[in-house]
Amino acid sequence: ISFDHIDFNLKRPIFQDVRVRRALAMATDRNLILQKIGHGLGDLTDTALSPRASWAWTPDTAHYDYDLPKAKALLDQAGWIVGPDGIRVKNGQRFAFTYSTQTESATGKALEEVVQQMWRAAGAAVTVKNYGTAQFFDNTSAGVLQGGHYDVAGFAWGGAADPDDSAIYSGHNLAPRAQNALFWNDPIATKAMDDELSTVDRARRLRDFKIEQQQFASDVPSIILYYRREPEIYNSDLKGYTASPVISPFWNPQEYWI
C-alpha cells in the first residue's frame, strides 16, 4: 500500500503558522481528488497510517474536511487578507509559493494541477516547479526534499507492515541526515515514537501510535490525500495466491500451485 500526500517545508516562514496549514487542508477536497484521480480506489485518512490495513490507525484525531468558507476565514484570522487580484497578502507579502513533484509522475502532476486550482480559490498563488526523480529524491543536501529546496512537495510513500514511521516524522531524523524532510519536530510525537520503538508491548505501542497520530493530524505538517487501493490481476488457474498490502504481492510464492 502507498499513500499520496502533500508535505509542507516547515522551514519556510509562510508555513510555520499552523492556521495556514489547517486552512490549506480544508481548502483541499480530498474526496473529489480520490474520485477524479484515484478513480475511487482508496481510503481517506487524516494520518499517515492506513484505516484499512494498519492495526494502529485511530479515527480519534482532528479532522479537516473540505470547507472552503472555513479555510478562507482561518486565513483571514491568520492575517492573510485577499488583495484586489484575489491573492492574499500579509505585511506586503503575497500568499505565493511553489508546488513540486516528479516530472515523470503522471499522478503527481495530475494531483498538482487540481490542488493548485483548489488553493487558488482560497487565495493562494501556487507556481508549479517540478524536478526529475533523481534530483527530487537525491538523498544528499543537494536533493530537492532532503535539502529542503521546496515549498510544498507532493508524492507517494509506501506503507509498511509495522506502523512505525519515525524515520520520516521523528524530530531525531531531520533531513539531510535522515528522512524527515518536512522538518517537523514535535516533541510529544517524537517522545511517543521513541517509546514505541523501545517495546514490543502491543497495547503500549498502540497508545504511542495514537498520540503520534493525534499530534500529526492537529499540526498538519503534511496533508494525507488518500491511501491507494490497487487492483491485482492474476490467472484464475493460479492457486494459493494471497494479496499482501505491503512490500510485495509476491510474499508467499512457496504456496503457489497450478
Side-chain angles (χ1 to χ4, degrees), residues 131 134-149 176:
Y131 301 86
Q135 184 179 3
F136 194 72
F137 290 116
D138 183 343
N139 278 324
T140 71
S141 58
V144 174
L145 298 175
Q146 291 296 98
H149 306 302

Side-chain angles (χ1 to χ4, degrees), residues 49 54-58 160-167 189 191-213:
L49 296 183
S54 178
W55 57 266
W57 178 80
T58 177
D162 188 88
D164 171 58
D165 50 19
S166 59
K191 182 179 179 181
M193 285 182 264
D194 288 345
D195 191 67
E196 59 88 358
L197 285 170
S198 71
T199 182
V200 293
D201 184 314
R202 187 173 176 123
R204 180 173 155 187
R205 297 189 81 211
L206 189 62
R207 289 192 295 271
D208 289 328
F209 288 128
K210 183 175 182 178
I211 292 170
E212 179 196 346
Q213 290 174 85

Side-chain angles (χ1 to χ4, degrees), residues 116-130:
Q116 182 185 36
Q117 295 171 359
M118 290 177 177
W119 288 356
R120 177 63 178 80
V126 182
T127 301
V128 169
K129 188 177 182 181
N130 294 334

